Amino acid sequence: MIYPPVRTVAALFLLLPVHLAGVTLHPASATPYTCSGPPDCSVIQNPENERTGRFGQGVGALGDVNGDGFADLVVGARNNQGAGAADKGAAYVFYGSASGVVSHPLSGLPYTCSGPPDCTVIQNPDNETSGGFGLATAGAGDVNGDGYFDLIVGAFGNQGAGAANKGVAYIYYGSASGFTSHPLSAAP
């Protein structure tokens, strides 16, 4: 049987912690509701608007990566590709603020991550097809003692020279300006 193509767009819904008395309840139902930002929830769609990017498959809390006093988040998209190798993957850092993270509601359009206060994109450094970069993401604490939290991103399918699919992990170091942007392109 041949099935028609299905268009899917992934999004991350952030349910923000609040005191129980102020919680907006969204009981299970067939009726959708709108995430309206703090104190309820925020929406972040895949910046590349890629159909099978797997945005949100890997997510994590980072701590404060840029020293502004607010915790930051990382969202992986192991199959985002932009130009270059197919399904090479990317990680996106979303910066916290007094009003939460910048919301990017579901739409049919991509948007640009331009660094703090919004988001930074980090593509697979080795530009390897099906590298899986971004499936595993985590805050690494302050591994170099500079006062900023750091990020670790796994790429289970990256291999470089040698054994196939041996995998690799990358450490990215926080700074006053967040992380260095590495937008999706044909060359890392």
Side-chain angles (χ1 to χ4, degrees), residues 69-186:
F70 299 98
D72 306 306
L73 308 170
V74 61
V75 180
R78 75 180 183 113
N79 288 352
N80 269 10
Q81 64 190 39
D87 300 334
K88 62 185 165 195
Y92 299 85
V93 175
F94 293 89
Y95 299 94
S97 70
S99 57
V101 297
V102 175
S103 185
H104 293 281
L106 287 171
S107 74
L109 302 173
Y111 59 91
T112 301
C113 286
S114 54
D118 188 7
C119 57
T120 296
V121 60
I122 303 169
Q123 80 159 342
N124 185 332
D126 293 317
N127 200 32
E128 290 200 29
T129 299
S130 301
F133 183 86
L135 174 62
T137 60
D142 182 6
V143 300
N144 61 346
D146 64 357
Y148 301 100
F149 283 79
D150 305 313
L151 164 67
I152 184 168
V153 180
F156 66 88
N158 277 13
Q159 60 194 25
N165 299 321
K166 62 184 168 195
V168 68
Y170 301 89
I171 308 294
Y172 293 92
Y173 300 99
S175 71
S177 58
F179 292 109
T180 302
S181 181
H182 298 282
L184 287 166
S185 66

Side-chain angles (χ1 to χ4, degrees), residues 21-44:
V23 171
T24 303
L25 298 177
H26 299 289
S29 75
T31 306
Y33 63 90
T34 301
C35 285
S36 56
D40 186 16
C41 60
S42 297
V43 178
I44 304 170

Side-chain angles (χ1 to χ4, degrees), residues 10-12 46 53-59 75-78:
L12 175 67
N46 185 336
R54 305 261 192 244
F55 182 82
Q57 194 170 26
V59 297
V75 180
R78 75 180 183 113

